[in-house]
Amino acid sequence: MRAPMTAFIFDIDGTIIDSMRYHERSWDVFLSRRGVDTVGEDFFRRTAGRTGVEVMRELFGSLSDADAHAFVREKEGIYRDLFRPDFREIEGFKAFARAAKSAGVRLACATAGDPDNIAFALGGLEMQAFFDAAVGAHDVAHGKPEPDLFLLAAKRVGARPSECLVFEDAPAGVTAAQAAGCAVLGVQTTHSVLDTEIIKNLSQVTFTLQNSGISVSW
């Protein structure tokens, strides 16, 4: 596929860092503390891309904002402690992102993660000031599959959604990007079936400069 683009928007977990198995483990630890049975694969597929508050309320019912956010902070703290010793990027991300930035592509990340997880990911990548915009759960009313995160990311980098190529690893994220009017490329690190064109990692993607923007191929 080739399409003129001016901005790339990246999901974080499973798209630019290899973190999804550690999120799954952190849910097991968090829920076991509360005597809740371990959740299965269907849970991870259904909730990937939703905000932590949305997921906590699905699991525990009508929580107050304070309680929901406290649960999220605890669960995400577990995740960071688990992943920190093994922190790694998805193959090819940093090289691809640096080449895109050098070519003048505007770059954003859009994740259902909280501010602490965003800081953790970008710090681990040593890219704290790299992106033109970073959008998280604290910025929007709804997580994926609603389009809010991607619409805001496009706005913050000054691009129309149709000028943005989104990189996503989760079905809900693909749906959200499509609903926002963005082009979307699935990164097949976590889910084997995504309703879009798929790559294994970002080392498969190339781009060239054109008058109308960036022509991307894979």
Side-chain angles (χ1 to χ4, degrees):
M1 174 182 175
R2 295 181 180 272
M5 296 290 155
T6 64
F8 295 161
I9 304 174
F10 300 89
D11 171 53
I12 290 183
D13 293 296
T15 300
I16 69 175
I17 59 172
D18 192 10
S19 56
M20 290 308 297
R21 75 191 75 177
Y22 299 89
H23 275 293
E24 293 178 8
R25 286 170 56 191
S26 69
W27 275 114
D28 289 342
V29 173
F30 172 79
L31 292 173
S32 70
R33 291 179 179 178
R34 284 157 180 78
V36 177
D37 290 340
T38 300
V39 291
E41 185 65 30
D42 179 63
F43 169 83
F44 296 120
R45 182 176 178 84
R46 286 188 297 104
T47 60
R50 295 172 63 190
T51 69
V53 168
E54 289 172 330
V55 178
M56 291 301 177
R57 285 180 170 147
E58 177 177 324
L59 287 169
F60 297 104
S62 182
L63 294 172
S64 69
D65 287 349
D67 286 344
H69 285 289
F71 279 9
V72 171
R73 285 193 298 272
E74 180 182 347
K75 182 270 171 194
E76 300 304 350
I78 296 167
Y79 149 70
R80 291 189 296 272
D81 287 344
L82 290 171
F83 187 37
R84 188 174 287 110
D86 298 327
F87 187 96
R88 58 185 174 271
E89 68 172 308
I90 293 294
E91 181 183 350
F93 166 69
K94 290 174 75 171
F96 176 81
R98 286 170 176 157
K101 192 174 185 72
S102 295
V105 182
R106 286 167 276 177
L107 303 176
C109 53
T111 173
D114 64 13
D116 291 335
N117 278 4
I118 295 172
F120 171 73
L122 301 187
L125 291 166
E126 300 182 334
M127 302 176 91
Q128 293 94 325
F130 184 83
F131 287 92
D132 298 297
V135 179
H138 55 293
D139 293 309
V140 296
H142 305 288
K144 305 164 188 177
E146 299 303 317
D148 304 32
L149 286 161
F150 294 121
L151 290 172
L152 183 56
K155 181 179 180 179
R156 286 188 175 175
V157 297
R160 294 189 296 270
S162 61
E163 298 172 335
C164 297
L165 176 61
V166 170
F167 296 88
E168 256 290 352
D169 73 305
V174 170
T175 300
Q178 292 168 337
C182 302
V184 58
L185 187 57
V187 183
Q188 198 177 41
T189 58
T190 309
H191 301 275
S192 59
V193 179
L194 296 168
D195 189 20
T196 190
E197 295 190 66
I198 291 173
I199 57 171
K200 292 291 185 184
N201 59 62
L202 288 162
S203 64
Q204 294 178 238
V205 183
T206 60
F207 56 85
T208 56
L209 294 173
Q210 295 183 340
N211 291 336
S212 57
I214 305 295
S215 177
V216 185
S217 59
W218 52 87

